Amino acid sequence: MRAVDFQPTEDQRALRAGVRDLLEGRYGREVLRADLDGGAGIDRAVWRELGRAGFFALRLAEAGGGVGLGLPEAALVFEEAGRVLLPGPLVATHLAAGTVPGAAEGEAVVTALDLGDGLVTHLDDADAVLGLPGTPPRGEPVRSADPMTPLHRVAGCGPDLSAYRETGALLTAALQTGSALRTVELAVRYAGEREQFGQPVGAFQAVKHLCAGMLVRAEVARTAVYAAAVTADGAEIAAAKLLADGAAVGNARDCLQVHGGMGFTWESDVHLHLKRAWLRAEQWRTAAEAEELLAADLMGSAR
């Protein structure tokens, strides 16, 4: 994305297309449904393949065995991961690349205490916790809204994640944006297939307006994420996370509305997007935290 117009370059578009092909081929809907039926564990083969593709080492310097790209490219890659509901502590493992052995290569799964209240995702699968030395601590299982994101509560104070928080929030926002864009596609497709009164439901003005609102919400969030990835400004990252969380949750809800009762069934992926969006909205930076940061930035600018 050029700093002037925020449009992806040819190389960045190729990167996004390559990641989409990889994820659709390696983690298509059939694999998603199989994982859903088989439990919430992380597929280590998929994790290692992500590592070989450079997913976790994307921002590491080439001299250190990384790909040598930047935050804008990482945002594009994570957007694609959000689109297919790729499970696992993707952000934490990406942030751990170069500091936790095996993280860059996808040989290690690294999670983080990024949810507040001592909550951590995928603790049973993790080889390390970001910022904590040694093996992962034990935790008490907690029921999760997302069936593919197991939660544990860990007692005691967590590590200081301030050095990772901005990037973690931005990459989570990118995941949310990918989910928001995907639910637009799901809503539009279903609206064109489902018929009532002898015509597709998408022909009705109310449904058209719903889908149009979803598209606007997703594109505004995507623009904010891309801009924040270029500037790496804390206030812009907070705004991007706030908008992306709203887009992911709001679009999933509206997509459910378009689907009607079908959206709540296990045969549909829509409710999975909503549940994942709820959880991600609490990771790295909540809406309340983002609003406080933005207010402080605006007050500082006014002074």
Side-chain angles (χ1 to χ4, degrees):
M1 284 163 284
R2 303 185 184 92
V4 176
D5 57 17
F6 299 111
Q7 293 300 309
T9 65
E10 184 177 344
D11 286 344
Q12 289 168 335
R13 287 194 292 270
L15 172 66
R16 179 165 56 191
V19 172
R20 180 171 296 193
D21 288 343
L22 170 66
L23 293 177
E24 287 181 348
R26 198 66 180 85
Y27 202 80
R29 189 173 186 275
E30 296 78 10
V31 180
L32 169 67
R33 306 308 298 193
D35 281 355
L36 188 62
D37 293 337
I42 293 173
D43 187 330
R44 290 284 181 151
V46 172
W47 208 255
R48 285 191 290 269
E49 189 161 351
L50 291 173
R52 288 194 296 271
F55 192 99
F56 304 117
L58 195 71
R59 295 185 305 117
L60 279 183
E62 293 182 73
V67 183
L69 297 177
L71 202 52
E73 288 77 20
L76 294 174
V77 167
F78 275 75
E79 180 185 309
E80 292 302 317
R83 186 175 177 273
V84 299
L85 287 175
L86 187 65
L90 301 164
V91 172
T93 303
H94 179 93
L95 293 173
T99 59
V100 175
E105 299 80 12
E107 295 296 334
V109 174
V110 183
T111 189
L113 287 157
D114 56 4
L115 275 163
D117 198 26
L119 292 175
V120 59
T121 69
H122 300 280
L123 186 62
D124 284 344
D125 284 303
D127 301 298
V129 176
L130 190 66
L132 283 181
T135 58
R138 293 180 178 273
E140 176 189 357
V142 176
R143 186 175 182 180
S144 176
D146 178 8
M148 297 184 69
T149 307
L151 293 176
H152 286 77
R153 179 172 284 111
V154 176
C157 296
D160 181 9
L161 296 177
S162 57
Y164 303 103
R165 195 162 301 280
E166 300 293 353
T167 304
L170 179 67
L171 296 180
T172 304
L175 289 169
Q176 292 281 62
T177 300
S179 178
L181 290 163
R182 178 58 179 159
T183 49
V184 174
E185 296 173 2
L186 293 174
V188 170
R189 184 177 68 190
Y190 188 80
E193 295 173 349
R194 176 78 168 114
E195 290 191 0
Q196 285 186 348
F197 307 111
Q199 60 182 325
V201 296
F204 299 110
Q205 190 174 37
V207 177
K208 290 180 181 179
H209 286 177
L210 208 59
C211 292
M214 291 174 64
L215 179 61
V216 170
R217 196 185 286 139
E219 290 296 342
V220 168
R222 176 153 66 173
T223 300
V225 169
Y226 287 6
V230 171
T231 65
D233 177 77
E236 291 198 17
I237 290 173
K241 180 64 162 57
L242 193 63
L243 287 166
D245 287 343
V249 173
N251 278 15
R253 283 174 169 165
D254 285 352
C255 190
L256 277 171
Q257 183 75 11
V258 173
H259 279 72
M262 174 61 73
F264 291 92
T265 67
W266 285 107
E267 288 77 12
S268 174
D269 296 340
V270 181
H271 73 288
L272 298 176
H273 279 276
L274 179 57
K275 291 171 180 177
R276 187 72 58 84
W278 277 336
L279 190 143
R280 285 180 182 148
E282 300 299 316
Q283 288 183 295
W284 293 104
R285 177 158 285 130
T286 64
E289 292 167 345
E291 288 165 354
E292 287 290 336
L293 194 153
L294 285 168
D297 183 73
L298 288 171
M299 291 296 292
S301 299
R303 286 195 295 268

